[in-house]
Amino acid sequence: MTDSTDPTGSPASPASPAPTKPSTSAASAIFTHVPHPRIAARKASGPAKTSELRVKGKGPIGRFNAKVGVGITLAVGTMWTAYLFTVLALISLPAAVRSHDTIILVAWIAQTFLQLVLLPIIIVGQNVQAAAADQRAEDTYKDTEAILHETLQLQAHLQAQDAIIARLLEAAALSPTPADAPSVAASPDVASPTGPGTAIEP
């Protein structure tokens, strides 16, 4: 059996183990991201809009009725229709005035003029409000996507920090502690601070 000695004759020290590469398993054990199911459902459905909800119905008959109702609403709910109904109501105004009957005049104002003219104007206002609601829904949807993107960026940043902290902890665990450091023995060749043969006075 050969003796493991160096060229100077002193026994060779055992080879130190190669340092292992720190892994990020500790960082992944700190936190595991679980995405909310609403995220996937939101991407599939998109923002809720009034224009899309109007044409939705239960079954083919319900969808057909919804489309017909939306078509009539869009056709009647215009200012041009309001102008047309105003002219139509004014045609019967001379006859109502010549009757000199208060009931006929009130009926013409309430049942003819107001109903014909105000109906399309109210629908126009409702269409404007629905369009504004759709725009708000679209803006809110985009704002939510931006917030989600920023949140995912923050999460990725925190995961990167967790990986760095894990590597630092593993590197600190592999480094020798002060107690394990070799102590320097006093050499007999080291001269005394007072020099050889120097008497120390009390």
Side-chain angles (χ1 to χ4, degrees):
M1 181 177 63
T2 59
D3 188 9
S4 299
T5 58
D6 58 3
T8 61
S10 59
S13 59
S16 59
T20 59
K21 184 178 180 181
S23 62
T24 58
S25 58
S28 60
I30 296 176
F31 175 76
T32 302
H33 177 232
V34 180
H36 196 277
R38 175 58 186 164
I39 297 177
R42 180 188 55 83
K43 290 183 178 180
S45 61
K49 297 182 179 180
T50 306
S51 58
E52 296 178 356
L53 295 176
R54 283 177 174 177
V55 296
K56 291 183 179 180
K58 296 182 179 180
I61 298 178
R63 289 190 293 270
F64 174 78
N65 294 334
K67 291 181 179 180
V68 172
V70 170
I72 295 175
T73 301
L74 295 178
V76 175
T78 60
M79 290 306 300
W80 294 109
T81 305
Y83 300 149
L84 178 61
F85 286 177
T86 302
V87 175
L88 183 62
L90 291 177
I91 294 176
S92 60
L93 177 60
V97 173
R98 286 194 300 266
S99 65
H100 301 287
D101 191 347
T102 306
I103 297 178
I104 295 177
L105 289 174
V106 172
W108 179 88
I109 295 173
Q111 300 178 5
T112 304
F113 184 79
L114 293 181
Q115 289 185 8
L116 284 177
V117 176
L118 292 182
L119 175 62
I121 294 177
I122 292 173
I123 296 177
V124 169
Q126 291 178 346
N127 291 337
V128 173
Q129 293 176 352
D134 290 345
Q135 185 63 41
R136 284 194 299 269
E138 186 73 23
D139 293 341
T140 304
Y141 184 83
K142 292 179 180 179
D143 294 342
T144 305
E145 279 200 338
I147 294 173
L148 177 61
H149 175 75
E150 295 297 329
T151 305
L152 293 178
Q153 291 294 318
L154 290 175
Q155 179 185 349
H157 188 190
L158 293 176
Q159 288 178 348
Q161 289 182 347
D162 291 343
I164 294 174
I165 293 173
R167 288 197 296 268
L168 292 176
L169 292 177
E170 292 182 3
L174 294 176
S175 62
T177 58
D180 298 337
S183 59
V184 179
S187 175
D189 298 335
V190 178
S192 174
T194 59
T198 304
I200 302 176
E201 295 181 0

